[in-house]
Each structure stands twice: as structure tokens, then as C-alpha cells.
């Protein structure tokens, strides 16, 4: 299919900060955005050419939305399968349904990796308390019980320290279909933002090293501090996953670097622009947001080369009250998401500090 | 006055590419934009939170607009004085009325420079054919007769090669109040993008060297190729002008570098973000557009330091048909303005190619 010309409209499901930054990046290229979100107060509406306020299950609204745009993408992986089907029937949905199916379900995701020969944490399917007990005797403790679906930022998961905690853990996850994961002894989490275009070309940005606070991403740092071998392997893994999924768009791939052997273990993938790739806005000629919009519009990818070193720090909840002093920092890009209420744990903005490449 | 908090709305007069890029830059900081423009098809509407379609002389519409925003700025210097007065009565107008008055009238502008001891081309007030003849005998030929008001991109001006052409030239400018300017023997035009905040701090980006094609800016290159003395003097002149005007916002200052002595002569000032500053988006942590929105919102200025060398090239008229091959270039930021019709001479986009600092 030919690239969508400038002036085309990209439909974006989800009106949070990722949808907002996607819309702004598309606008650079002369692409219009139409945001679809049930929340009337969505930050992305402020910068988009059009918006629809409707539930993700509203078939009539979805069809009208699809009719008004030239391609559809999304800012979050938990797009209901029926929603995706309705949209894909009318317009190109990028990334496609397979990327959603794999990334929405931790068991499917881990099985997909295993089938590709990519290392993951040891895991087992847990559909009942009996399954959990069997899995614990197999995988051991400490381990983590996670719901297969709808987990993020540490939600929907519980740590198990002894096999005696099985029943309590099974209750803690709401007795829903889950997966038991063994602990990976890792010294760092890194992530790769990889892009793939409609012609199958792939381009990965430099890996970032991520640090968390209260289960939420705190900082992403490039360069990662790992040597060229580790970084090249991380990039190769991410490109392999994108290619196997016949993926179109930007994907975030989180990996653990194991403590002793420095082997790479895939933690999870996100079929969308990713918080750990926000640094690309300041440190590259073309950001992950524009890269995604290029792929969705059928355009060629940009070079992911980096001109600066960077540290991205999230502004969570009350962190954002420091906006005025943050605005005074030299060589920093401050981003505020246009959200009204700085609730604890809410992502309100981020700041990326750059420095010359070391 | 305290800085406007994130979530505030900046009103922008004018809905072209400059208003569009201002709105996008404000959104980075969590500032909303409301665009006021008579053209229903304004590119800036696509990325703004709100817009008003009305004439610049429509007092009721201007007052409703002023009531809905927290501060007002503009993307073009020819804001009618009455419009500026109405808006300034209700909300802070930044830059202020003085900057408009000085920059709208070539005679006022040149007189302002002369009073500051800043070199300009030789000039004379021309209110009649008799004035023009007297001015020609004073200034000589070749020289240029320019209307005092409403000239841009070579419009509203005519070259005079001999004194015999006086009557024809006077007719060519429509017998309107004009200014005769002597030729400056210059080897290059450079420009400085300077910003001044509400506290009087100034910050100038590195000077760019500009090249024109058909009287329209073609390329802006940083570094300019001039030595530190010339660049420092250019910056100092720009900062002095901003300070003398009690200016708030970003201003473009165009200067000629004379051929033999390499002296600086001010050509003109623009009380707004400037085409020759577009390179700052790719080559600095904070662009001229964000810098302007910061000043207008009463925020502190960002550092104008540059992390990369850059060449910005305008895409005029049909140039934009090459968008797909331009999108393939590595280390380049491509900007398309969301305009429908690529008329000859129309600014459709630009591309900024960056490289490591030499």
C-alpha cells in the first residue's frame, strides 16, 4: 500500500500522554490526528484535529471513527479484541491484531518468546490453586504470581516467598487466570525501542537502562553503560520479535540483564510507544513518536541515531509541582502532559536532560 | 506578574505555520493554545485546543477571544494597532504595542536604530515624488524604494538604478508613504533569534547565515562561519534592541555583514518567531517556538545553547512534492505545515539537517 500523503488523518485510540505526543509528532509531518477516548477530559484532545468521546465497545462510534480516518493506531495494549476487529475491518490497524493478542496475555507472550528461542523468566500457566501449587514446586520461591491480562506498573501481581502462601496469593490475584514467574537474578533492566515499517525494514534506538520507583519507571538513561556486544544482542532480539510479529510501528521491549552471565532475558513487550523511549525526543533527530506515526502512515523509518547522551526522569504525582524550577534547567526538555489533577502515582510529565555524547 | 501555570491558555493571532509551531511548542509545557484567524482553513487549528474564525477588526470577537485566554501573542507583525489595543486592554499582549509600532513601519524602525547608535542602510523619508528626488540626490543610486508598511518577501519595494526612474518608482510603490534605502555592500545576511523574558533576562541563539531565492529565505546555516567577534557583536546588538523595546518574547533580527570591513548593519527586525530560527527545533534542547511561549507565559527562558550544527532549508511551493524522498534522509527533521495547496512561493514546510558540532 502506498504511503498516506501529508494531510491524511491517523486515528489514535487513547487520549493520554502517549496519544498526545503521537498527535504532536504526526503534526510535524503534516498528518492530522483524530483521538478516540471515553474520557471527555483527555489531554490528547488539546492538540488533535478531531476527537471522539465514546466507549471502546461502542460499535457505531468505532465505525464512524474508522470512516473519518486513514489508518488507526493506539497508545495502550489493552485494546479489546472486538474493538480491534471492528476497526481493522475498515482501515489499516497498525500494529496489527497479532501484536495485541501476544502482548495482552502474559502466557501467550512468554510462550511466543520460548517458541522463538528467546530467554524469559521460568513460567507456568496457573488456572487454579492446584496449578499454582504444582507450579510452585516446579519453579520454587521467591516467585511472582501475575494475572495473565491487564497488569501494569506492578498492578495485578503478588510476590510469593514460601509455598505456604499459595492460597493467599491465588486470592490476591482474584482467582483469575494467571502465570507464575520465577525470579530472574538481574542487575539491570534495559529496554529497546524498535520500529518496523510496512516494507519490513527495522530500526532500533540505542538501549536505555531503566530504574523504577514504587513499581513505576523513574529514569531511563542512554547510553545504557553495557558494552557493544550486549547492546547489539538487545537490538537484535527486539528486531527479531518485531519481524516475527510482522509488526508495523514502534514497540518497547524490556529486557533483564542477568547478574552473573549478563545474559538477556525478555521481560515484556509493549506494542506502542514506550515511556522508556521518551528520551528520543531530545537526543535524536526523529523521536519514537514520529517514528511510530511514520510506520503507521506507511512512510519510511527515520534513522534512530542519537546525537546526545540523555537521562529521562518521570514526573509522578506531586513531582510536577516543581515545574518552575525544572523549567530553569539548562539543556533539558521539560514535558507537561496537560493533566489537571496530580494524583499520587499519576504520570504528569517528564524531563530529559541531555549532554554531549561521552 | 507570576508565571502562568501549566494548563493556562495562550491566545495566538494568526493561524499559519508559525502559529502552528508555537501551539505545538506550548503543548510540550502543558500550555493550551487558542488560535485567532480569519481563514477557516488555518493550519494551526489542527493542533490547537481552540480557535476563533473572525476578522482582525471584529471587536466583539476579539473581546471574546481575550476573555477566553490568559495572555496573547501573534505570529505576524502587521497586527493592526486597534486590534492590539483592544487585546492589551484585557490581557497581557506579548510582545507589546511598542514592538509592533517600531517593526511595522520601516521609517520608525530605522529611526529607532539610528537613535540607538546602531548602523543601518542610509535612509530617507519619502512622502512625495519631490521627497524621492531629494532623497535620490542625497543617497544616490542604486537604491531601493520601499513602502513604510506591509512589505515582506520582497513585496512593496522597487529598485532604482538612475535618478531618471524616480517617477516610475514612485508609481510602483503606489505613491504610498515610503522610505528610500541606500544599498549596503554586504557579503552575507545573518540573523539572530533573541528572547527576552518578563524579568528582563535576554538569551540569543547562535547567529545563522541566510541565503535567499526569489526574495524568499532559502537556507539558514549554523554556525554562520563568522568569527567569535562578529557573532558576539551580532548577539549584543540583538539583545540591546530587545532591551530598549522592553520586549517580551522571541524576536528575529536580520543583519548584513559588510563586504570589506565586516561591520554589522541591521536590516530589519521581526517581533515574532522567525523562519531563520527554525533550525533551533533540531539543534537545541529548547526551540525558538518554546522559548517564545515561555516568555509569553512569564516563564524563565531556556538556554539557547546548540548541541549540533544545522542547515535549515525551506520547502517552497512544489519543493514539497519531494516529501517522500526527504523523509528518507538520515539526521534530518522534516516539517510539513498542513497546508492544502502548494502555490508557487508558498511556504509548505522545511527540513533541518543536523551534524555533529564541527
Amino acid at each position: 500500500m502506498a504511503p498516506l500523503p501529508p494531510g491524511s488523518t491517523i486515528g489514535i485510540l487513547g487520549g493520554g500522554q502517549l496519544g498526545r505526543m503521537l498527535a504532536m509528532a504526526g503534526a510535524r509531518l503534516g498528518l492530522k490526528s483524530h483521538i478516540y477516548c471515553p474520557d471527555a477530559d483527555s489531554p490528547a484532545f488539546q492538540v488533535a484535529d478531531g476527537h471522539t468521546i465514546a466507549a471502546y465497545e461502542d460499535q457505531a462510534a468505532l465505525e464512524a471513527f474508522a470512516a473519518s480516518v486513514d489508518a488507526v493506531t493506539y497508545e495502550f495494549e489493552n485494546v479489546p479484541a472486538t474493538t480491534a476487529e471492528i476497526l481493522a475491518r475498515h482501515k489499516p490497524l497498525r500494529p496489527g491484531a497479532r501484536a495485541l493478542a501476544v502482548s495482552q496475555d502474559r502466557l501467550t507472550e512468554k510462550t511466543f518468546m520460548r517458541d522463538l528461542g528467546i530467554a524469559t523468566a521460568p513460567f507456568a500457566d496457573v488456572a487454579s490453586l492446584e496449578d499454582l501449587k504444582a507450579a510452585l514446586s516446579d519453579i520454587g520461591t521467591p516467585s511472582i504470581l501475575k494475572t495473565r491480562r491487564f497488569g501494569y506498573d506492578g498492578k495485578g501481581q503478588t510476590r510469593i516467598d514460601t509455598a505456604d502462601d499459595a492460597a493467599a496469593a491465588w486470592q490476591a490475584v482474584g482467582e483469575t487466570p494467571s502465570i507464575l514467574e520465577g525470579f530472574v537474578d538481574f542487575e539491570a533492566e534495559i529496554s529497546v525501542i524498535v520500529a518496523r515499517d510496512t516494507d519490513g525494514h527495522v530500526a532500533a534506538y540505542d538501549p536505555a537502562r531503566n530504574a523504577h520507583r514504587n513499581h513505576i519507571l523513574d529514569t531511563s538513561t542512554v547510553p545504557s553503560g553495557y558494552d557493544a556486544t550486549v547492546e547489539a544482542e538487545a537490538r537484535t532480539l527486539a528486531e527479531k520479535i518485531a519481524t516475527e510479529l510482522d509488526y508495523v510501528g514502534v514497540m518497547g521491549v524490556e529486557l533483564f540483564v542477568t547478574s552473573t552471565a549478563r545474559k538477556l532475558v525478555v521481560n515484556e513487550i509493549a506494542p506502542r510507544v514506550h515511556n522508556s523511549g521518551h528520551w528520543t525526543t531530545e537526543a535524536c533527530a526523529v523521536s519514537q513518536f514520529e517514528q511510530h506515526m511514520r510506520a503507521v502512515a506507511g512512510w519510511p523509518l527515520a534513522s534512530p541515531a542519537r546525537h546526545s547522551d540523555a537521562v529521562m526522569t518521570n514526573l509522578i504525582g506531586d513531582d510536577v509541582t516543581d515545574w518552575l524550577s525544572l523549567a530553569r534547567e539548562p539543556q533539558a526538555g521539560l514535558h507537561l502532559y496537560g493533566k489537571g489533577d496530580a494524583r499520587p502515582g499519576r504520570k504528569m510529565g517528564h524531563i530529559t536532560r541531555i549532554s554531549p555524547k561521552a
Side-chain angles (χ1 to χ4, degrees), chain A:
Chain A
M1 202 178 99
L4 296 172
S8 301
T9 300
I10 308 298
I12 302 174
L13 289 179
Q17 69 270 15
L18 300 182
R20 177 180 168 100
M21 289 186 277
L22 285 170
M24 290 160 70
R28 256 173 66 124
L29 301 175
L31 297 169
K32 296 175 190 161
S33 289
H34 184 126
I35 309 286
Y36 187 111
C37 191
D39 180 356
D41 204 26
S42 295
F45 292 171
Q46 298 165 17
V47 298
D49 188 48
H51 67 259
T52 297
I53 303 169
Y56 293 121
E57 297 76 19
D58 183 335
Q59 181 161 351
L62 289 168
E63 289 188 339
F65 168 69
S68 75
V69 303
D70 299 296
V72 179
T73 189
Y74 40 86
E75 63 155 12
F76 63 108
E77 56 269 44
N78 289 320
V79 175
T82 315
T83 305
E85 275 160 32
I86 293 167
L87 295 170
R89 211 180 295 144
H90 298 283
K91 292 290 158 63
L93 177 70
R94 295 169 178 162
R98 177 116 194 274
L100 284 172
V102 168
S103 59
Q104 283 178 358
D105 184 325
R106 293 184 195 279
L107 182 65
T108 311
E109 186 180 55
K110 287 237 168 8
T111 307
F112 169 80
M113 298 299 164
R114 187 175 59 195
D115 292 349
L116 280 183
I118 293 175
T120 66
F123 66 95
D125 183 9
V126 173
S128 65
L129 181 55
E130 288 63 46
D131 282 355
L132 177 56
K133 287 177 180 169
L136 280 168
S137 79
D138 206 28
I139 290 174
T141 54
S143 51
I144 306 186
L145 187 65
K146 299 178 176 179
T147 57
R148 283 173 57 173
R149 301 172 68 87
F150 302 118
Y152 70 97
D153 287 350
K155 294 184 175 64
Q157 54 181 264
T158 185
R159 179 183 160 123
I160 302 181
D161 283 307
T162 83
D164 298 343
D165 296 342
W170 182 236
Q171 281 204 321
V173 297
E175 305 188 351
T176 47
S178 293
I179 176 175
L180 185 72
E181 292 185 14
F183 259 77
V184 175
D185 184 17
F186 64 95
E187 61 175 27
E189 181 195 293
I190 63 174
S191 58
V192 175
I193 307 300
V194 64
R196 188 166 175 276
D197 69 16
T198 49
D199 290 335
H201 300 112
V202 291
Y205 290 95
D206 281 352
R209 182 190 290 238
N210 302 322
H212 294 77
R213 199 171 41 142
N214 303 326
H215 299 286
I216 302 174
L217 183 67
D218 180 23
T219 63
S220 292
T221 302
V222 280
S224 72
Y226 285 101
D227 63 28
T229 313
V230 171
E231 292 209 335
E233 192 196 338
R235 234 188 245 103
T236 302
L237 282 174
E239 292 173 358
K240 184 174 181 178
I241 293 166
T243 300
E244 289 292 331
L245 289 173
D246 195 22
Y247 194 88
V248 175
V250 157
M251 177 171 61
V253 179
E254 295 178 7
L255 306 114
F256 296 129
V257 186
T258 63
S259 291
T260 43
R262 295 202 166 163
K263 292 289 180 201
L264 292 174
V265 171
V266 171
N267 179 33
E268 64 178 34
I269 62 174
R272 52 170 170 81
V273 288
H274 196 256
N275 196 166
S276 72
H278 290 1
W279 61 269
T280 57
T281 298
E282 274 71 28
C284 303
V286 168
S287 72
Q288 67 163 346
F289 303 101
E290 181 179 324
Q291 191 77 304
H292 186 76
M293 295 299 266
R294 283 172 170 245
V296 170
W299 289 37
L301 299 180
S303 158
R306 180 169 59 78
H307 56 66
S308 298
D309 290 351
V311 181
M312 187 289 307
T313 302
N314 270 333
L315 304 175
I316 308 290
D318 278 348
D319 294 349
V320 78
T321 56
D322 288 337
W323 62 271
L324 191 54
S325 60
L326 293 167
R328 289 184 203 283
E329 287 195 35
Q331 297 312 296
L334 175 63
H335 298 257
L336 303 174
Y337 299 153
K339 299 179 180 178
D341 184 18
R343 292 192 296 273
R346 194 175 195 201
K347 291 176 177 171
M348 299 300 293
H350 69 272
I351 184 167
T352 299
R353 298 170 172 102
I354 59 171
S355 55
K357 274 171 95 167

